[in-house]
Amino acid sequence: MTRRRGGAASAAAMLGMVLVLAGCEGVDLPEAGTGPSGSAPAGGTGRAVSPLDNPDGTKPGLAPLTSDADRTEARALIEKVATKGRGPKTGYERDKFGYAWMDSAPGGIPFARNGCDTRNDLLQRDGEDVRFRSGSDCVVASMTLHDPYTGRTIDWAKSRATTVQIDHVMPLSYDWQMGASRWPKGKRQDIANDPLNLIPVDGPTNSSKGDSGPASWLPPSKQIRCSYAVRFAQVSLKYELPVTTADKEMMLRQCGG
């Protein structure tokens, strides 16, 4: 299988060297004493793609939906989402969805079993000016991220790992409460590592979301909220998971419904 390089090709050209395949780490951990992210004012959306043009999540970012036609299409998609009440969280544990960030999800999701863990796959997908750890074409050491949730540009380095986190658009404990508690473990591993459900974003902003649905939490950047609602709906439909009535109403409202 041919490895995706994302922003790696340009980074390799600047470095003037060929990076050699090496093993990948599982989860980035923050180093003691690291400071805040190097966030700067918004610098555009970079290579971000509309969620309507990215139904499998393999393309980067989350571009705004601004045209009337796109927002009409967005509402039609969201209308297909089923609703039900949110069930109990009893029994939920992150490990029920597999360890983070496994490369061995069994359901044929994009990027699985490509020799690189999910977190680094997503950093490569969405990052620009990607540079790798010496001796690896998997482990991202630094990059520039155009964060869709805040509209800010983040100059990220692995030494400040948690300044960029990978958001589960449809949170795993939400999935559990909406029906994933009854799934086989393999299907839970799929949704936890599916690029359709994953976006690298500003770490503190992601932490503020917790396991909220759209009725309780939306990205701070208003221009991206319809796109976020569409992505939430795409995950819901792919995995046949309902959302609460309040969440669906909020999702429609973000796209003019």
Side-chain angles (χ1 to χ4, degrees):
M1 180 178 178
T2 303
R3 285 281 297 121
R4 289 176 310 105
R5 299 305 297 269
S10 60
M14 291 187 290
L15 291 171
M17 61 183 291
V18 176
L19 299 171
V20 181
L21 182 65
C24 299
E25 297 179 350
V27 184
D28 288 328
L29 296 176
E31 295 184 358
T34 54
S37 73
S39 297
T45 57
R47 300 174 297 117
V49 174
S50 160
L52 296 173
D53 297 328
N54 189 19
D56 63 0
T58 57
K59 298 174 184 177
L62 196 64
L65 298 177
T66 56
S67 73
D68 290 341
D70 281 351
R71 293 169 76 84
T72 297
E73 184 178 350
R75 292 194 298 274
L77 181 73
I78 295 167
E79 286 285 9
K80 297 176 183 177
V81 174
T83 60
K84 77 165 197 174
R86 193 162 174 167
K89 196 173 178 178
T90 307
Y92 169 75
E93 296 175 1
R94 174 62 177 85
D95 288 348
K96 297 285 181 67
F97 290 79
Y99 66 86
W101 296 92
M102 62 189 304
D103 184 39
S104 56
I109 59 171
F111 309 152
R113 303 178 185 272
N114 66 357
C116 190
D117 63 83
T118 302
R119 176 179 169 86
N120 281 294
D121 280 332
L122 273 293
L123 296 179
Q124 290 183 56
R125 185 195 68 183
D126 288 15
E128 296 187 33
D129 300 323
V130 174
R131 299 193 180 198
F132 295 90
R133 189 176 66 185
S134 177
S136 175
D137 68 353
C138 169
V139 180
V140 178
S142 66
M143 65 167 188
T144 298
L145 178 71
H146 299 290
D147 171 31
Y149 286 4
T150 65
R152 298 172 70 86
T153 297
I154 302 172
D155 293 321
W156 177 87
K158 188 174 172 63
S159 61
R160 301 186 304 274
T162 57
T163 59
V164 167
Q165 297 178 11
I166 310 297
D167 179 41
H168 286 96
V169 176
M170 200 169 185
L172 299 185
S173 62
Y174 187 102
D175 300 336
W176 181 268
Q177 293 172 275
M178 302 308 287
S181 62
R182 298 185 295 276
W183 289 355
K185 188 170 184 178
K187 188 174 181 180
R188 292 198 294 265
Q189 291 171 342
D190 286 344
I191 198 171
N193 293 279
D194 192 333
L196 184 65
N197 194 30
L198 298 169
I199 304 177
V201 296
D202 174 68
T205 300
N206 183 53
S207 294
S208 74
K209 172 181 171 178
D211 65 354
S212 299
S216 302
W217 187 92
L218 290 166
S221 175
K222 292 183 179 180
Q223 69 173 352
I224 207 68
R225 289 179 177 177
C226 178
S227 295
Y228 176 81
V230 168
R231 178 55 53 82
F232 207 99
Q234 288 173 322
V235 178
S236 168
L237 292 168
K238 178 176 180 177
Y239 288 91
E240 299 180 316
L241 281 174
V243 304
T244 68
T245 299
D247 285 334
K248 183 173 180 177
E249 290 174 352
M250 183 62 73
M251 291 158 69
L252 287 167
R253 194 180 309 165
Q254 303 316 304
C255 298

